[in-house]
Amino acid sequence: MELSTVVDRLDDELRTADYADLDASANGLQVGPDEAEIERVAFAVDGVRETFEAAIEADADLLVTHHGISWGGFDRVTGRTYDRLAPLIEHDLALYVSHLPLDGHQELGNAAGVADVLGLEDRSPFGELGPEYVGQRGTAGEAYTPDELRERLAGELETGGQPVQVLDFGPEEIEDVAIVTGSGTDWLDEAVAAGADALVTGEGKQQAYHEAREAGIHVVLAGHYATETFGVRALQDLAGEWGLETSYLEVPTGL
């Protein structure tokens, strides 16, 4: 399959253009020629030298990641930037990136994957960012206690051996759950306003502790990496349906 065809299909499915003015990430094809034949595609959370080298070892023609290498462009391709880019150019490995579009996709996205793990029903978009969303909200079929919610996530997510942390300031039973993966505590006020019992995200900020305590809501910190493996895995399944050979590169950070 031509690289341009793969890129067009991904851009259409993820509505990449709709997030162009909202995301610091340069989503879409970040590195690659205008035309190339793609047979093997690797998938990973982070676009870094470790995953580039692993994709080359897997003989991939294209690497698809959630976190890319361009966050507003480059001033110079020198030093660490050069070292990071060199394997891509030297081995003709193309790089496709989807950051917020993959967070916000209501079926294939990261928040949707976490919602699947928790068995949430009656789902709706959550986490407003301009006219778009970067998360999802839903209702648990059976209410969780804070410990049960922690155990469920710890048992299903790739946490790299790190614990799932709960800021336990909400009700004894958790039914309404809001999810913004990665670094999502900026949407704590929106979760409170929506009447959520808990906000599930990856990593926290200092002020989230006091904000959650004062608002009476649980905040679950399950790991940035751990909450953001779902989107690229869903894209891997999609690429497999297109007839491409795929592989997933697991490089958990424990953060």
Side-chain angles (χ1 to χ4, degrees):
M1 185 180 294
E2 286 293 327
L3 174 61
S4 58
T5 301
V6 178
V7 169
D8 287 346
R9 287 186 179 186
L10 289 171
D11 283 345
D12 288 345
E13 178 62 46
L14 296 164
R15 297 191 300 111
T16 300
D18 293 341
Y19 286 80
D21 295 329
L22 305 175
D23 199 346
S25 173
N27 296 308
L29 186 66
Q30 286 195 353
V31 178
D34 292 333
E35 292 296 337
E37 187 68 23
I38 302 299
E39 296 181 0
R40 290 172 293 277
V41 187
F43 295 80
V45 174
D46 299 313
V48 293
R49 189 174 182 106
E50 184 173 4
T51 55
F52 297 163
E53 292 174 348
I56 292 164
E57 182 68 22
D59 201 25
D61 306 302
L62 170 65
L63 174 63
V64 176
T65 69
H66 180 50
H67 301 129
I69 58 175
S70 177
W71 303 86
F74 303 114
D75 292 326
R76 294 177 176 83
V77 182
T78 59
R80 285 195 302 154
T81 300
Y82 178 87
D83 292 340
R84 180 172 286 182
L85 282 168
L88 298 173
I89 305 300
E90 291 171 1
H91 295 272
D92 293 323
L93 177 64
L95 175 66
Y96 182 96
V97 174
S98 186
H99 184 232
L100 294 184
L102 191 53
D103 285 326
H105 197 289
Q106 295 299 295
E107 295 179 2
L108 304 177
N110 290 314
V114 176
D116 288 342
V117 166
L118 296 177
L120 300 188
E121 304 170 353
D122 302 321
R123 301 185 198 181
S124 58
F126 175 81
E128 290 187 22
L129 186 66
E132 300 296 338
Y133 293 88
V134 293
Q136 195 170 91
R137 179 183 166 211
T139 304
E142 294 185 9
Y144 289 96
T145 66
D147 283 343
E148 288 170 343
L149 186 61
R150 177 195 293 111
E151 291 169 4
R152 178 69 175 171
L153 291 169
E156 296 291 334
L157 270 58
E158 302 168 20
T159 64
Q162 298 302 308
V164 173
Q165 184 178 4
V166 177
L167 304 182
D168 188 356
F169 299 128
E172 293 182 4
E173 292 191 342
I174 299 171
E175 295 181 334
D176 193 312
V177 181
I179 304 167
V180 177
T181 61
S183 180
T185 56
D186 287 344
W187 284 271
L188 180 58
D189 286 343
E190 183 179 338
V192 173
D197 301 317
L199 171 66
V200 176
T201 187
E203 62 185 72
K205 297 180 180 179
Q206 170 69 12
Q207 67 267 28
Y209 177 94
H210 296 288
E211 291 173 354
R213 185 172 187 173
E214 292 166 3
I217 186 174
H218 301 289
V219 175
V220 183
L221 308 175
H224 196 127
Y225 178 94
T227 59
E228 297 199 326
T229 63
F230 297 97
V232 287
R233 285 190 178 276
L235 293 183
Q236 179 185 5
D237 291 340
L238 187 63
E241 294 173 6
W242 296 342
L244 295 166
E245 183 180 335
T246 70
S247 58
Y248 176 69
L249 311 176
E250 189 172 324
V251 187
T253 63
L255 300 174

